[in-house]
Amino acid sequence: MPIFFVRLLNLFRRVVLATRKLRGKSADDVAQERLLSGRAWDDFCDTLKAAGASLSFPGAPRDAFNQAEGYRYLSRLVRAGLMAFVEHADPKVPVLHRVADETVKLGADNPDNHYLTAAVSGKWDYRIRGQRNTVKYLGFGTQAGHYGEGGGMPPTGYLEASELEIDDDGRFEVTLSAKAQPGNWLPMAPDTGTLIVRQTFLDRDAEQPADLLIERIDPDGSVPPTALTAARMDAGLRATSTLVAGASLLFAKWARDFQKHSNTLPRFDQDVSNAAGGDPNIAYYHSHWALAEDEALVVETTPPHCEYWNFQLNNYWMESLDYRYHRIHTNKHLARYEHDGSVRLVVAHRDPGLPNWIETAGHGSGTMCFRWVKATSHPTPSTRVVKFGDLAALRKAT
C-alpha cells in the first residue's frame, strides 16, 4: 500500500477514536475541545504531512527541480484552502475572491481565465449584480463538495453570458437559488457549497473582466458576518488540509495516467471532467509531454467553429507554467493560422523561428491541455515529436 494511503488511514483511525471518546457531546463542545487541546491543529498538520506523499506517487518525477515545484504546489494549495475555508468561508456573507491566480494553480488552470469563487449554501438565495464589460466568455457555476471530500466538485447549476438578460448599459442581475426563479437564474441544490465564475480572455491586455458583486437575499435585511467560532475554525482547518491532500492525490493520479499517451492529445472523459469541476461547455484534451533538448513537439489541427480554444503547457503537478514571463500557451485570437485555416503549434525549449512557439520555461516534461469551448465538432489535434533541426523544413514552408 502506498505510503500516502497508510498515512491517511492512520490519521483517519486516530480521528475515529477521538470522536468515539467525545460521543454524547454537542458539535460545538467537540470543536472547542479539539481547539483547546491542540488536536485540531495537530490533525491539520498531520494531514498536510500525509499530503506530501503525493509527490512520491507512482510516476511522479523525483528530481530536485520537479520536487521543488511540487512542494511549492502544496504550499499554494494550503494558501488557497485557508483563503476559501477560513477567510471567506461564511455563506451568509459571501465574498467573490480569486483562489486560482498567477501564483496559485491547480488542475491545468487556464492562463486565459480570471477565476472567482465564493462560499454559498443551498439553504439560502443570493443575488449577483454585474456589469458585463468586454471579456470574451463569462460563465457561472454552482458546485457541491470539494477535492478533499472524495467526490470531486460535481456541478449543481450552470449559466453563461449568452443566456443572460442584459440591459442596454451592460448591467444584469442573477438569482442563485434551489427553487426556480424568473429571469437570470443560476440553479443550486441543497448541498451546493461553492459558486465559481470563469471569465475567459481572448486578449487579456485588451479586454476588461466583468464587475461582479454577490449578496445573500435576506428578508430581514443585511446580515453582519458571523463571529469566528471554534466550530468554524476546526472545520476550516480540516477542509484546508483535506483539500491539499485530496487535490494533490487526484492530479498526481491523472498525471501518472497521462504518461500512457505521452506527447499525444486524446480527449479527456467529459463525465470525469465535469465531476472534477470542469466547465460542461468545454471539451478537454489532457496529456503528458516529454522532450529531449534537441526535440520539439508539433501540434496541428484545423479548429472547428467554436467560441474559444486554447493550448497550454503545465508542469507535472498540472500547474500552468508561468505565463507572466513565458509564452506557454496560445488561443483562438493569439494564434497565427495557415492559409487553409489550420494552425500549427511548436513546443520547444528554444525559439524555433516559427509562429506559435510554446515555451517549455526550463521544463523537460510535464502535462498539457487543449480545450474547445462550445465547438460544433471536437477534432483530436495531431502531434508528432521531431528533431529541433528538422524544424528548418517547416520554416521554409511557412
Side-chain angles (χ1 to χ4, degrees):
M1 181 182 296
I3 189 172
F4 182 94
F5 295 106
V6 173
R7 288 179 178 175
L8 284 185
L9 181 59
N10 290 336
L11 179 61
F12 175 74
R13 287 170 177 163
R14 191 166 65 245
V15 171
V16 169
L17 290 173
T19 303
R20 287 173 180 169
K21 293 178 182 178
L22 295 170
R23 267 184 188 157
K25 298 184 179 182
S26 70
D28 287 341
D29 289 340
V30 171
Q32 288 183 28
E33 290 196 22
R34 282 177 51 75
L35 256 69
L36 292 173
S37 69
R39 184 75 265 166
W41 185 259
D42 288 345
D43 287 347
F44 170 73
C45 294
D46 288 345
T47 305
L48 293 183
K49 183 177 181 180
S54 63
L55 302 190
S56 57
F57 194 81
R62 301 304 306 275
D63 61 281
F65 174 77
N66 281 290
Q67 287 288 301
E69 289 203 331
Y71 284 113
R72 182 184 61 183
Y73 165 56
L74 295 180
S75 74
R76 288 170 164 179
L77 292 177
V78 175
R79 180 150 43 100
L82 291 173
M83 186 67 70
F85 300 128
V86 176
E87 297 297 343
H88 299 305
D90 189 351
K92 290 182 180 178
V93 283
V95 176
L96 280 166
H97 62 283
R98 295 184 73 187
V99 171
D101 57 25
E102 290 80 6
T103 60
V104 176
K105 302 159 177 273
L106 76 162
D109 56 289
N110 187 345
D112 289 323
N113 272 8
H114 182 85
Y115 295 97
L116 293 169
T117 189
V120 294
S121 171
K123 297 187 298 183
W124 296 311
D125 297 348
Y126 301 86
R127 180 188 298 113
I128 296 175
R129 290 190 173 96
Q131 178 79 32
R132 178 67 179 86
N133 296 330
T134 59
V135 68
K136 172 62 177 176
Y137 180 81
L138 172 63
F140 303 89
T142 57
Q143 299 170 329
H146 65 79
Y147 292 129
E149 295 178 340
M153 300 177 69
T156 57
Y158 200 81
L159 179 68
E160 62 153 305
S162 65
E163 304 169 294
L164 289 175
E165 298 174 7
I166 302 176
D167 70 17
D168 293 339
D169 295 321
R171 293 189 295 263
F172 61 90
E173 291 188 0
V174 176
T175 301
L176 289 69
S177 63
K179 183 178 180 180
Q181 302 290 333
N184 298 324
W185 174 52
L186 176 57
M188 295 200 296
D191 60 346
T192 293
T194 301
L195 165 70
I196 183 168
V197 183
R198 287 180 177 88
Q199 303 192 61
T200 305
F201 300 93
L202 288 181
D203 186 342
R204 186 181 286 271
D205 294 333
E207 297 169 24
Q208 181 180 358
D211 295 315
L212 303 170
L213 179 68
I214 186 172
E215 60 185 350
R216 186 163 74 93
I217 301 172
D218 192 328
D220 299 322
S222 61
V223 176
T226 304
L228 183 63
T229 64
R232 277 181 52 201
M233 192 66 215
D234 186 29
L237 291 174
R238 183 184 302 111
T240 297
S241 62
T242 56
L243 167 72
V244 177
S248 60
L249 175 62
L250 173 66
F251 296 125
K253 291 170 64 178
W254 284 17
R256 175 202 61 189
D257 292 343
F258 296 162
Q259 293 180 68
K260 299 173 184 176
H261 44 72
S262 187
N263 292 329
T264 66
L265 283 164
R267 185 169 178 183
F268 191 63
D269 188 297
Q270 192 71 44
D271 291 336
V272 174
S273 170
N274 291 349
D279 187 327
N281 288 315
I282 300 179
Y284 295 91
Y285 298 72
H286 286 294
S287 195
H288 176 269
W289 65 274
L291 295 172
E293 282 299 318
D294 64 341
E295 292 181 331
L297 176 67
V298 178
V299 180
E300 295 173 308
T301 189
T302 299
H305 180 74
C306 61
E307 187 156 330
Y308 161 87
W309 65 262
N310 89 332
F311 171 80
Q312 68 182 73
L313 285 191
N314 314 308
N315 64 13
Y316 184 83
W317 315 110
M318 295 190 67
E319 298 180 293
S320 65
L321 300 186
D322 199 337
Y323 51 85
R324 296 173 300 173
Y325 308 115
H326 301 279
R327 186 166 46 198
I328 61 88
H329 86 295
T330 194
N331 64 31
K332 177 181 178 179
H333 173 75
L334 300 175
R336 193 157 120 196
Y337 293 78
E338 301 296 314
H339 296 302
D340 61 359
S342 64
V343 64
R344 178 190 298 123
L345 316 177
V346 180
V347 178
H349 299 299
R350 58 190 187 275
D351 189 349
L354 287 164
N356 306 323
W357 172 38
I358 307 299
E359 300 181 43
T360 58
H363 295 71
S365 63
T367 58
M368 57 182 171
C369 178
F370 203 111
R371 296 173 175 85
W372 303 118
V373 179
K374 298 185 70 176
T376 54
S377 61
H378 303 107
T380 298
S382 68
T383 61
R384 67 184 191 277
V385 175
V386 302
K387 291 297 183 181
F388 187 85
D390 293 341
L391 294 174
L394 293 179
R395 286 195 292 272
K396 294 177 182 178
T398 299

